[in-house]
Amino acid sequence: MKKEKVLIVGAGGQIGVELALALRNVYGNDNVIASDIKEAHPILRDSGPYAMLNAMDAIAMLELIKKEGITQVYLLAAVLSATGEKDPKRAWDINMQSLLQLLDIAVQEKLTKIYWPSSIAVFGSTTPRNGTPQQTVVEPRTVYGVSKYAGELWCQYYNQRWGLDVRSLRYPGLISWKSAPGGGTTDYAVEIYHEALKHKKYTCFLSEHTYLPMMYMDDAIRGTIELMEAPQEMIKSRMAYNLSAMSFSPAEIAASIQKHIPEFTIDYAPDFRQQIADGWPASIDDSVARDHWNWKHEFDLDKMTAAMLHNLSK
Ligand code: AKB
């Protein structure tokens, strides 16, 4: 087992639950402290130490880091794209304050590594929509995207100014079965599997041919850990890396489900999230991540559909 003491902040969300399990396998259960503002998710409670922590409480965060001898922090607490538009100032405060206070603590306490997720939401409608490159026009239109892009710049600044080893990925929509997403525009691609199994029909809040970049959670977790384990000299970008696996539309995910559940039907009732999706890339070019630290995805749409339906029906 490697000698690191890891803190995950915002561990009760979609990524945190699975990341905590994976990190506990790498570093040992007792060396990975999961924390969140809410009561422990049963998977987290049963697999290792848990602390209640408000990501905005700098004093409590510092105390926990000192008390536990934390060396690495994964800061996952965030307000996502759809929820963010309902209260933009709150989204900005939560997303930015938690990051800025952690960056300061990390420099002060000489933490070895910080992970902070970014998103394809940093891109906007002026960005090339297909095969969006690592470096391009970046004019996000959601407060979530604005906060993610500002956060990337802060991460890069702390790396250049204080040598802080902070790493980041621009996640596409993430699809998982162990924990639910919350407040994102890509959440339909998780809901659809639950509804297909329960009711054999789904009403999608995005239109039929809305293509978005997506990824199965297993790939996202492996990619995150591979990024964090990569030797420093391989991490040549301190802005977040584009990360890609697949791109599909609601019609295509429905067709993939119909291969297993032929009677499944989908209809469409686009809401405010359509506009958010229309401003995002349809597909992402992640060749820089593939080149710098050998990123490679494993799941395509049909492989993911088989895994989702199998695991959710258990
Ligand atoms: C969202 O839809 O807001 C997130 C994201 C793409 O970052 N899943």
Side-chain angles (χ1 to χ4, degrees):
M1 290 279 169
K2 307 192 174 162
K3 276 215 170 8
E4 292 285 353
K5 196 88 189 265
V6 178
L7 172 65
I8 307 173
V9 179
Q14 189 194 13
I15 302 172
V17 171
E18 300 215 22
L19 189 60
L21 291 179
L23 288 172
R24 283 174 175 167
N25 277 335
V26 177
Y27 297 112
N29 288 356
D30 291 343
N31 294 323
V32 178
I33 299 175
S35 74
D36 205 292
I37 196 167
K38 50 191 189 221
E39 290 290 333
H41 186 290
I43 294 182
L44 295 177
R45 193 193 46 221
D46 298 344
S47 62
Y50 188 82
M52 298 272 283
L53 176 69
N54 176 352
M56 306 265 283
D57 187 341
I59 294 171
M61 189 184 280
L62 177 61
E63 267 171 17
L64 186 61
I65 286 171
K66 281 178 152 173
K67 181 170 135 242
E68 297 292 344
I70 297 296
T71 58
Q72 294 188 12
V73 179
Y74 290 69
L75 172 58
L76 307 179
V79 177
L80 300 191
S81 58
T83 309
E85 291 312 291
K86 293 179 186 154
D87 191 346
K89 296 247 171 53
R90 177 177 165 269
W92 172 260
D93 286 347
I94 293 177
N95 294 356
M96 282 292 93
Q97 189 181 317
S98 57
L99 174 64
L100 290 180
Q101 79 193 24
L102 173 62
L103 293 175
D104 281 336
I105 292 173
V107 172
Q108 183 191 314
E109 297 301 309
K110 299 190 174 46
L111 301 188
T112 57
K113 273 181 215 166
I114 299 295
Y115 180 76
W116 181 77
S118 186
S119 162
I120 56 156
V122 297
F123 300 117
S125 49
T126 50
T127 302
R129 209 169 139 62
N130 291 299
T132 303
Q134 175 72 33
Q135 284 175 313
T136 182
V137 178
V138 180
E139 293 182 334
R141 297 287 166 92
T142 59
V143 67
Y144 172 62
V146 173
S147 70
K148 285 295 175 191
Y149 197 59
E152 284 192 24
L153 289 164
W154 276 113
C155 290
Q156 180 176 254
Y157 181 81
Y158 271 69
N159 174 262
Q160 286 168 354
R161 176 114 195 229
W162 285 288
L164 183 66
D165 191 351
V166 48
R167 306 183 181 193
S168 183
L169 296 171
R170 289 176 185 150
Y171 289 129
L174 298 179
I175 293 133
S176 61
W177 57 274
K178 286 197 188 108
S179 50
T185 303
T186 57
D187 294 6
Y188 89 85
V190 179
E191 288 170 15
I192 194 169
Y193 289 111
H194 288 266
E195 293 304 305
L197 286 167
K198 258 191 260 160
H199 301 119
K200 313 231 177 308
K201 61 178 175 31
Y202 178 63
T203 301
C204 186
F205 58 74
L206 298 182
S207 65
E208 195 174 352
H209 301 302
T210 307
Y211 280 85
L212 286 171
M214 298 281 187
M215 183 177 288
Y216 189 47
M217 187 60 89
D218 290 28
D219 274 342
I221 298 297
R222 188 177 45 76
T224 305
I225 294 178
E226 284 173 8
L227 172 82
M228 290 298 276
E229 298 268 291
Q232 286 243 31
E233 60 276 14
M234 289 172 107
I235 310 302
K236 291 178 223 134
S237 170
R238 293 297 171 160
M239 297 296 278
Y241 280 98
N242 278 8
L243 199 70
S244 170
M246 60 186 112
S247 168
F248 57 76
S249 64
E252 287 179 355
I253 191 172
S256 178
I257 292 171
Q258 280 157 351
K259 291 180 190 165
H260 301 258
I261 308 173
E263 62 278 34
F264 174 68
T265 58
I266 182 166
D267 53 23
Y268 304 93
D271 65 14
F272 73 100
R273 288 168 281 194
Q274 183 66 46
Q275 202 188 348
I276 300 177
D278 288 342
W280 285 353
S283 63
I284 293 283
D285 175 352
D286 61 355
S287 49
V288 176
R290 288 174 195 261
D291 179 43
H292 285 187
W293 47 277
N294 304 323
W295 157 248
K296 205 165 175 290
H297 72 278
E298 281 174 9
F299 283 80
D300 61 14
L301 175 56
D302 283 339
K303 190 169 171 192
M304 175 176 77
T305 295
M308 283 296 285
L309 293 176
H310 172 73
N311 286 306
L312 286 176
S313 52
K314 274 199 280 195

